[in-house]
Amino acid sequence: MKSLFKYSIGIFLLLLTGSCQEDFLDQVPDDRLTIEQVFMRRETSEQYLANVYNYIKDESYLTNNAPWIGLSDEGDITYDRPGYLTFLMNIGNWSAASGYYDNYYSDYYKGIRSATTFINNIGGNPQFTPELITRRTAEARFVRAFLYFSLLRTWGPITILGDEVLPGDLDPTDPLLHLPRNSYDECVDYIVSELDLAGQDLPLHWTTQESNSQQYGVGEFGRATKVACMALKSRLLLYAASPLFNGNQEYAGFVNLDGKPLINQQYSAVKWERAAKAAKDIIDLGVLSLYKKNNAQGNFDPLLSYRSVFLDAWNPEVIFTRVSNNLPGWERASSPRLASGYASTGPTQQMVDAYYMANGMRPILGYNANGSPIINAQSGYTETGFTAAATKYTLPNTYNMYVNREPRFYANVNYNGAQWINTSEGVKVIQTYNSGESGPAGSWDHSRTGYINRKNVSPAANPRTAVNTARPYLMFRYAEILLNYVEALNETDPGNPDILRYLNSIRERAGIPQFGEGASPLPVPGSQSAMREAIWHERRVELSFEHMRYFDTRRWKIAEQTDAGPFYGMNISADPPAFYNRTVFETRVFRKSYYFFPIPQPEINKNSNLVQNPGY
């Protein structure tokens, strides 16, 4: 049933982008538009859909906008100080009444209702061709599925609203306002069915700007495609197959008021099979590839290749992006103060330790009870002394902890003594120790870990001169699909040659030795559990700082180990050599309840059938 209620023009304009507001006002003769009037015009209908897309959160920047890095073991945000949410959440100051990210919950449901309104009303637009109506409807369906997934990954089982848009004047006691939560499996099946349906009516994939403009007109990049639907389905089904949701008996008491279980207690290998197939279906399309670039001498360059995945728009690895974003803010936060940046995003020592050596070996195998590292002697790693000469990626007098590491380390991490990537003003050396240019003695803006993020920062960026490189924010890419596939395949068909094939393809692009290949091959992980650990670690490194680690440690049910206890960095209260001592910058708290965010308390208060997440 189509909704007949009216929208206030004032509210509607708040939903539009600034460039559209003026044009829209010029065409509106009075102060109100009915929903039917909105969908009688092409321009207003397109503006409405643009707003639906905008409900997909811009997670290109951190602080209170995207908490996932600062809440995981890979990163810290200098702004994690009293008053900032991730700081409070990391120290355990968190409850259902805290209100942390409650706006995300409500915004996602607002977006879902807006998408449904679009789906229900666009069919009568006389200025749209039937083909365009079909395609735009599918786009709205994709966004709605994306928003449901965003709720599901954060709050667990949610309430599916279906295709009805509720009138705004419903009585508070109306049953439609008191719907219970659907089970997790019901949510997954619904989202999958919506993605499959949307994918039937969408273009396969944007490949080049030329083909984009010729077939569909300029401005279609960034919209939903069939491959984007398939990628979201792949991520969703991988999560659904994982230990947190697949036979997790710790949630036996997680039920609705009528006793309906919200998370299935029976383990199902079929869930892994579905996840493996969803990823393999994308691979078999043959339209995506790992992005590779050559250097000025015409030779493959792994650092340039990996770094450019995020900098070169619409490259062959890109699946889905957010065109409108705050990447300039990310670049400034991730730039040292020598470039007028904030130096406010810091990889943890645990994340620095995770990157491989150039020989493909892990430098750190674990930690002793006192937090000291268990060094892999075979890797060549050392935490003493400085290199006398420059190496391929490091300057002279670099601390040996940072020497001979893999290319992805140098693409992702600024460490003390690293060269700043923008050389337009000459060679500059980053200093994160106490009295250094980006150290705590000079400003409140500094990294608490002694490291600064480098990933997704362009060498052309220069916060000092307000220069940034506008580009789409990458949300889905092909490397994730390969890692989804090998993880799921290892759980359902260990020993399948595809596991080693695609895992090695990630390592080959990264510029490190592959398992079982080459003149001095690394040993192939010899069991299903050993391969699982290798896949998990590769995923941690390859997808670092892409908002994936937070959800991975939770779906694997290891967050109680990875996200609790002392977190380390360098000793930023000192200058070298004391700076190079591992030092605790924060002791974090993780409770079992933290596997999910709490349902906002106001929502619980309004809906008599809405049960709270366990532990809150």
Side-chain angles (χ1 to χ4, degrees):
M1 181 181 71
K2 296 183 179 180
S3 171
L4 299 179
F5 66 94
K6 296 183 177 182
Y7 280 74
S8 162
I9 184 63
I11 295 175
F12 185 67
L13 288 178
L14 290 176
L15 305 180
L16 301 180
T17 59
S19 61
C20 296
Q21 291 180 16
E22 183 176 349
D23 294 339
F24 188 81
L25 281 170
D26 289 341
Q27 297 180 43
V28 179
D30 54 21
D31 65 344
R32 299 183 69 83
L33 281 178
T34 65
I35 203 67
E36 286 78 9
Q37 289 171 326
V38 170
F39 288 105
M40 289 298 288
R41 308 175 189 176
R42 173 162 183 164
E43 181 180 12
T44 53
S45 295
E46 293 283 23
Q47 290 170 344
Y48 194 98
L49 182 58
N51 173 66
V52 172
Y53 270 101
N54 281 336
Y55 279 105
I56 295 176
K57 293 293 183 181
D58 177 13
E59 297 184 337
S60 59
Y61 193 39
L62 299 180
T63 65
N64 289 349
N65 299 321
W68 315 123
I69 293 176
L71 289 178
S72 76
D73 62 345
E74 67 183 5
D76 176 65
I77 312 302
T78 297
Y79 299 125
D80 286 0
R81 53 188 186 247
Y84 284 83
L85 301 188
T86 47
F87 173 84
L88 297 171
M89 296 163 81
N90 279 331
I91 65 172
N93 185 1
W94 191 14
S95 71
S98 299
Y100 304 157
Y101 297 98
D102 283 6
N103 62 309
Y104 273 38
Y105 185 94
S106 58
D107 285 351
Y108 288 142
Y109 270 115
K110 289 177 185 176
I112 287 166
R113 293 185 181 99
S114 293
T116 302
T117 298
F118 185 92
I119 292 169
N120 289 347
N121 289 276
I122 192 60
N125 192 313
Q127 296 183 357
F128 273 37
T129 64
E131 293 77 15
L132 188 58
I133 288 173
T134 298
R135 181 149 52 92
R136 293 293 190 247
T137 299
E139 290 179 44
R141 195 177 300 279
F142 165 81
V143 175
R144 186 171 68 175
F146 194 109
L147 298 176
Y148 271 123
F149 167 77
S150 299
L151 285 163
L152 188 67
R153 69 174 185 171
T154 308
W155 284 275
I158 52 174
T159 302
I160 300 296
L161 300 180
D163 291 328
E164 189 80 11
V165 178
L166 304 182
D169 57 354
L170 275 182
D171 185 278
T173 63
D174 193 296
L176 290 175
L177 295 179
H178 294 265
L179 295 173
R181 299 171 76 164
N182 291 85
S183 71
Y184 187 88
D185 287 349
E186 287 174 343
C187 294
V188 169
D189 289 343
Y190 173 79
I191 297 171
V192 166
S193 66
E194 289 290 285
L195 292 170
D196 287 344
L197 183 59
Q200 296 174 9
D201 296 324
L202 290 169
L204 178 62
H205 180 60
W206 305 127
T207 54
T208 66
Q209 185 65 56
E210 289 73 26
S211 66
N212 172 55
S213 61
Q214 289 171 7
Q215 294 182 50
Y216 300 106
V218 175
E220 295 294 302
F221 268 135
R223 292 182 180 273
T225 63
K226 180 177 181 178
V227 174
C229 291
M230 297 171 72
L232 178 55
K233 177 180 174 180
S234 171
R235 188 182 293 181
L236 169 66
L237 290 178
L238 184 75
Y239 285 16
S242 299
L244 185 64
F245 306 109
N246 192 359
N248 183 0
Q249 297 185 6
E250 292 183 2
Y251 284 139
F254 188 16
V255 298
N256 276 336
L257 295 179
D258 63 359
K260 176 181 178 178
L262 293 179
I263 292 184
N264 196 322
Q265 301 300 292
Q266 300 298 315
Y267 172 82
S268 173
V270 173
K271 292 182 177 180
W272 286 114
E273 294 172 2
R274 291 181 73 195
K277 183 180 185 304
K280 188 60 160 57
D281 285 345
I282 300 173
I283 296 170
D284 289 344
L285 290 174
V287 299
L288 298 167
S289 62
L290 295 175
Y291 192 38
K292 296 180 180 179
K293 293 186 74 171
N294 293 339
N295 58 24
Q297 291 71 45
N299 300 316
F300 167 67
D301 188 322
L303 189 153
L304 183 63
S305 297
Y306 180 77
R307 184 178 70 188
S308 298
V309 170
F310 310 93
L311 305 181
D312 293 353
W314 319 119
N315 66 71
E317 192 163 336
V318 173
I319 296 176
F320 185 68
T321 70
R322 198 182 199 281
V323 176
S324 173
N325 58 67
N326 192 19
L327 278 173
W330 164 257
E331 289 188 326
R332 184 156 195 179
S334 300
S335 297
R337 290 206 305 274
L338 61 81
S340 296
Y342 296 141
S344 60
T345 62
T348 63
Q349 188 65 50
Q350 286 96 318
M351 188 65 236
V352 169
D353 294 343
Y355 288 99
Y356 299 99
M357 300 297 289
N359 59 19
M361 295 185 180
R362 292 173 57 179
I364 305 297
L365 299 178
Y367 302 91
N368 293 314
N370 63 359
S372 60
I374 301 172
I375 294 176
N376 181 3
Q378 292 182 317
S379 70
Y381 175 80
T382 179
E383 293 190 2
T384 60
F386 298 81
T387 182
T391 70
K392 182 177 182 179
Y393 297 122
T394 62
L395 298 172
N397 200 37
T398 297
Y399 187 50
N400 278 325
M401 178 185 284
Y402 315 129
V403 178
N404 294 325
R405 304 297 290 269
E406 62 158 310
R408 289 177 296 193
F409 172 77
Y410 301 106
N412 290 352
V413 179
N414 286 309
Y415 52 87
N416 187 68
Q419 178 179 312
W420 172 232
I421 55 176
N422 187 315
T423 58
S424 62
E425 298 176 350
V427 173
K428 296 184 178 182
V429 179
I430 296 169
Q431 301 169 337
T432 57
Y433 53 83
N434 184 55
S435 64
E437 54 81 23
S438 291
S443 172
W444 181 259
D445 293 327
H446 63 273
S447 168
R448 296 195 300 174
T449 70
Y451 303 101
I452 306 170
N453 282 91
R454 179 175 284 194
K455 191 171 194 174
N456 212 349
V457 176
S458 170
N462 191 341
R464 180 186 300 279
T465 57
V467 171
N468 60 71
T469 53
R471 60 186 181 276
Y473 172 66
L474 187 52
M475 301 183 73
F476 285 86
R477 63 186 180 100
Y478 187 51
E480 179 199 342
I481 302 305
L482 298 182
L483 289 165
N484 292 353
Y485 178 52
V486 298
E487 180 182 343
L489 193 60
N490 185 59
E491 298 300 329
T492 188
D493 188 15
N496 189 305
D498 271 2
I499 299 171
L500 200 59
R501 173 188 176 187
Y502 290 110
L503 183 62
N504 273 341
S505 70
I506 297 285
R507 295 174 67 89
E508 187 271 334
R509 198 272 297 276
I512 56 176
Q514 302 168 50
F515 292 117
E517 296 188 13
S520 300
L522 294 175
V524 175
S527 66
Q528 182 187 36
S529 61
M531 181 60 79
R532 179 187 300 120
E533 199 280 333
I535 292 168
W536 284 11
H537 196 84
E538 198 68 49
R539 187 178 180 94
R540 181 183 189 183
V541 172
E542 173 69 22
L543 303 179
S544 58
F545 312 116
E546 296 180 45
H547 305 305
M548 301 294 287
R549 177 69 175 172
Y550 173 91
F551 297 103
D552 283 344
T553 59
R554 279 149 184 77
R555 67 181 178 86
W556 292 330
K557 287 186 64 180
I558 62 172
E560 291 163 79
Q561 292 76 49
T562 60
D563 290 4
F567 273 67
Y568 291 85
M570 292 289 95
N571 182 10
I572 63 170
S573 298
D575 288 345
F579 166 82
Y580 292 107
N581 293 326
R582 291 169 179 259
T583 304
V584 176
F585 70 86
E586 183 173 70
T587 300
R588 296 183 179 177
V589 174
F590 188 91
R591 303 185 178 100
K592 280 187 178 295
S593 58
Y594 292 177
Y595 278 102
F596 299 128
F597 277 30
I599 301 294
Q601 191 60 43
E603 301 296 330
I604 298 291
N605 296 340
K606 289 186 296 184
N607 185 342
S608 60
N609 289 315
L610 190 62
V611 297
Q612 183 56 274
N613 280 330
Y616 291 102

